Amino acid sequence: MKKFAIKIAVNAVALWVASLVLKSGITFEHSGASTGQLVGTILIVALIFGLVNTFIRPVVKLFSFGLIILTLGLITFVINALMLWLTSAICAHFAVQFHVENFVSALLGSLVITVVSLILNALLPDDDK
């Protein structure tokens, strides 16, 4: 349970940093919302993003295995962008205030999220060691 909570927290921070870096491309729409509501929204989006990455991403990677080999793994950035874009669509369906403007924003956002997640996971202690 602790590992799951840390993973959601890392996703939340990475999504928040991506929204700061790509101000118009990735947004948490919070007009007049308090800081607590914004944090709640970010945590809900991180949870949805984590569920998408846990259940849908492996299936997409399985079916795109040939492309992954052919492109030496670079297509995984496109897969990550599609998962971020799918998260935005799911959030819109459930009236969660998170929006990814277009595919380019999703691609750049997935790069930012990957870098921030790598840094945070390197800094956090690992219980498995």
Side-chain angles (χ1 to χ4, degrees):
M1 185 69 174
K2 181 180 174 185
K3 197 171 190 176
F4 177 73
I6 290 173
K7 190 171 188 172
I8 296 301
V10 167
N11 276 342
V13 171
L15 286 162
W16 178 66
V17 170
S19 72
L20 292 177
V21 171
L22 303 168
K23 292 184 193 306
S24 62
I26 297 176
T27 57
F28 290 96
E29 299 164 10
H30 57 288
S31 58
S34 68
T35 305
Q37 289 173 330
L38 178 60
V39 170
T41 300
I42 293 172
L43 288 174
I44 290 170
V45 173
L47 180 64
I48 294 170
F49 187 61
L51 291 172
V52 166
N53 281 331
T54 299
F55 294 110
I56 298 174
R57 186 171 176 245
V59 174
V60 173
K61 286 181 81 170
L62 177 69
F63 286 121
S64 62
F65 182 72
L67 282 174
I68 292 172
I69 298 297
L70 188 65
T71 63
L72 301 174
L74 291 177
I75 197 74
T76 57
F77 289 116
V78 173
I79 293 170
N80 291 343
L82 291 172
M83 296 303 107
L84 184 61
W85 212 3
L86 178 62
T87 300
S88 175
I90 292 170
C91 288
H93 182 71
F94 290 108
V96 177
Q97 302 299 316
F98 175 70
H99 181 69
V100 177
E101 188 66 33
N102 51 32
F103 181 74
V104 173
S105 297
L107 187 61
L108 294 174
S110 71
L111 291 173
V112 171
I113 290 169
T114 300
V115 169
V116 171
S117 295
L118 283 173
I119 291 170
L120 289 176
N121 285 324
L123 294 175
L124 292 172
D126 191 11
D127 292 340
D128 295 339
K129 291 183 181 179

